[in-house]
Amino acid sequence: MLTDTRDILPQVYENVQHNAQLIESSGGSATVAELDWNDPDDEVLDQDYDWVFGSDVTYTEETLQPLAKLLRQMVLTNEQAVVKLAHMHRNKELDKAMREVFHDEGLMLRPVDVRTTGTTQYDDPLHVDEAIAFYRVSLDPALRAE
């Protein structure tokens, strides 16, 4: 299932249609649904997911709280699911806020990879604008007992 906000759904539908033959020939399927992080639809949340991916979804501090709450809910209801998040470094304040908000929601962010979008080599790719950090998102083990 591919989700996005209502205003972006037409592009998502178009991408699915454009790739329909590839998806089907690979034995896959794709459905599209609206997902409002502030008011998630139960029909979307009540699915069993093996994988949950978020890509370029951490772009402003205002979006972090609803995203963290949504991911916490998904982790709690889909314990078998692997949740991964691709986060582009935009500034240190946003990176810090993301870590704090996710921590406050009882989520752990474990970095699994870092890439840069540019061709320049960097000593520390986490501190350049082109850095994309890939995280595994999981519930803090101390909270699993709750």
Side-chain angles (χ1 to χ4, degrees), residues 30-145:
T31 57
V32 177
E34 178 182 355
L35 182 58
D36 179 346
W37 297 350
N38 292 300
D39 186 23
D41 188 304
D42 287 338
E43 189 174 321
V44 173
L45 294 179
D46 289 343
Q47 304 286 325
D48 288 328
Y49 296 103
D50 295 320
W51 294 87
V52 176
F53 293 101
S55 179
D56 199 25
V57 293
T58 55
Y59 36 87
T60 66
E61 287 189 39
E62 295 77 30
T63 63
L64 296 175
Q65 186 70 42
L67 175 62
K69 284 184 178 296
L70 175 67
L71 290 178
R72 178 185 164 93
Q73 186 174 359
M74 295 195 87
V75 168
L76 285 169
T77 59
N78 290 276
E79 290 188 24
Q80 81 290 349
V82 175
V83 180
K84 293 202 174 181
L85 184 65
H87 166 71
M88 179 178 278
H89 169 75
R90 289 178 169 81
N91 59 65
K92 290 180 183 180
E93 293 79 18
L94 181 61
D95 294 351
K96 181 177 184 242
M98 184 179 78
R99 288 189 303 274
E100 290 172 353
V101 167
F102 276 60
H103 177 267
D104 290 347
E105 282 298 321
L107 296 172
M108 294 175 38
L109 291 171
R110 183 172 53 94
V112 293
D113 196 7
V114 177
R115 303 287 174 107
T116 59
T117 60
T119 56
T120 307
Q121 295 293 324
Y122 300 98
D123 293 330
D124 186 0
L126 279 176
H127 294 100
V128 296
D129 289 340
E130 296 91 0
I132 301 172
F134 297 88
Y135 293 97
R136 171 99 187 247
V137 181
S138 59
L139 192 62
D140 185 327
L143 299 176
R144 286 210 180 267

